[in-house]
Structures are given as structure tokens and as C-alpha cells.
Amino acid sequence: MSDASRVGAALAPEAVVAIFPGSNCDSETVRALTRAGFRAHGVWHTDLARGATLYVLPGGFTYGDYLRPGAIAAHSPALRVLREAVDEDGALALGICNGFQILTEAGFLPGSLEPNRPTGFRCRPVTLCPKRAHGPFARALGTSTVNWPIAHSTGRYVVSEAVRRELWRGGRVLAVYADPDDPNGSVDRIAAISDETGRIAGFMPHPERAADPRLGARDGLRFFERLLRECEGPQSTSPSEPREVSRHVG
Amino acid sequence: MSEPESFEVRLAVLPVQGLRSPSAETVVAALSDLGFSQVERLSLGKLFIWHTRAPGLKAAEAEALQMAERLLANPVTEEALVLSVTPSEGTAASPPARASEGEREGNPESAPPAAERLR
């Protein structure tokens, strides 16, 4: 390795992808993050440690989806590490698909992901509309619609009426499925949310599957590239003002 | 403190009322196709059966509810009901005996407890 590349690698923010038994999107997530410029690597969930800038819980079927998707992984010691890294180190945490399910099961994000309505596994690109939201994930998502693939049978986001209102009021709904493109019956067609700080986010669609120019899909890569800039910039622990975005849906 | 006794606990986890359940709706439709068109408001959930040792029946029930709260049920979408807590003849450490009894009787619940199958 040349000196130049060593220096570059040392400066790049570290992104850690937690691997659980049954995770199956960890490799492409590491690849997408690396392509975007992160110093990314996968770590077995029991070995997860603080110190990274971004933690990603990837897609898959942790513990075979036994009991409920994400329910058993939510009790991994990795979630304790994640909590401390976010609260005390200012790290960011992103759950994708099964990772989103883990975050709701762990109570890091409100609500629950339930079986799709109509029933069935959906695996296809969807159009996502960013909403008026705050935080690094909202800024990384940008303001234009994006096309990311989904691949889930348990992605119907449900939440109590009170929390649903709180999510919208607090600028925590990051994106919704485009109007005629609702794949799972989620309340308000919600596809992605964040916690109240904006530092923890869950997405049902897969940005890492839209991050390879050879596949003609770059929307996910752009998201990770913008997220890299968020990680390189000054870390704010207080949520910024929700930003205005196109409001043609939702 | 009294000596721990062995209990069999049965706990049901069901969707909360009002939550639409695609799987339950599908089952209702399938039953209707088979001629059982009178079926409505079907609830489809999970049944957990396990053996445990506890100081008494109330303690075993309390433990079951804690387990439901922490892992077995999702408080957002599910509710847990302790169906029964009964003294078990064997010990908690001997589920195979329970299973073989079930097999002799042709009991469909004779499979090992869920926790054992997950290992």
C-alpha cells in the first residue's frame, strides 16, 4: 500500500457493518460504503466496539426471523454498544430492512414492522419521496425522489396514532413510498424514519443495492456519498431544523 | 423461601385488537373457500409451552409475563395471555420425558419446547 493511500484510508470515516447469524446483505453494504469513500468493514455482532463513525445493521434474516424479524438480534450486546456509541460518541446508526426491524425491536426506533399487506414477499425497485425531516440521514437522502430496491415480506410500518403524529411533527419521517407504488401497506406509506436526534435511522429499502454503476443504479451510492460528507463534517448532537422538500406526496 | 416446584406454562401471543393481520385474513378467506364462510374475526398468533421451576404458581406466572414483555411479545402489536400454569409431573430439566409421553398419546404438541428447537 502506498503512503498516499494509507493516509487517505486513515482519514476516511470508519463505517462498521454488524454481522449477525442470518445477516445476508453485509458484503454488499460494506462494498457500497467503501465505494462511497468510507473505511468500511464487517464485524461479528458480539465483537462490535465503539469508535466508529457509522454503524450499519444490514439486511437479512437474523436468527431465521424466529419469533419476529429482528427480535432476537435486538438483545445482542451489539445493541448496547450501538446505544453508547450514538449517545456518548456522537456516532450514527443505520438499520436497513432487517436492521430497521432490529432497531424497532430494540426500542431505538418507535413502531413495528409487520407482514406486508397484501401478504407476500416484494422484491423490486420502489420510488422513495424524501420528506421534511432533520438530521444527517435526511440531508444524505437529499430532496429528490430516489429509486432503491426493496426485498421484504415484513415491512408494513405500524405505529400508534400518537407516535405517528409525533413522527411527522418532529421531522422524523425521512421518506415515504411514492403514491401508486406502496408495496406493503405501511401507515402513511412510511418507508424510513429516524429517532428524535436524527442520528439513528431505519430504512426498509436497500440503498446498498442501488450503489453499483454496473447495475445502472446510483441513487443508493449518492446517499452513502452524502452520508460520508455528514460524517466528515462537524457532528451536531442537536437536531437541525427540518428542511423543506418537495411535497408532492404524503 | 419455599422449595422451587416444576410448572408447565402455556402462554399465547396474539395481535392486538384492531391491527390488521394479512395472515389471519388469508386464513379466513381459505376457510371460506372450503365452505366455512361463517368464520369471522379470526386471530392468529403463537402458543408457547415451557417447563420452569419457580417458588410457586404466581411466581411462574409473573416470570411468564416478564418473558413476554422482554422478548416473546412485541408490545406495539401483540398482547400476551398466560393460558395456564400447572404443576408438571417431571422436572424442568426433563422435557424429553414430556415429549415421549406426547408421542405415546399421539399428541401433536409433543415437539421439544421452542427454546430447545432454536439452539
Side-chain angles (χ1 to χ4, degrees), chain A residues 49-62:
Chain A
R50 286 166 65 175
T53 311
L54 171 68
Y55 292 85
V56 182
L57 306 184
F61 300 88
T62 48

Side-chain angles (χ1 to χ4, degrees), chain B residues 78-96:
Chain B
E78 297 173 324
E79 60 184 351
L81 304 165
V82 178
L83 300 179
S84 65
V85 182
T86 52
S88 53
E89 290 177 9
T91 65
S94 59

Side-chain angles (χ1 to χ4, degrees), chain A residues 66-68 75 112 119 156, chain B residues 20 22 70-72 74 118:
Chain A
Y66 295 158
L67 203 55
R68 298 177 304 279
H75 290 273
S112 177
T119 308
R156 177 171 54 110
Chain B
R20 289 195 67 170
R70 293 199 58 197
L71 180 67
L72 301 181
N74 179 341
L118 288 177

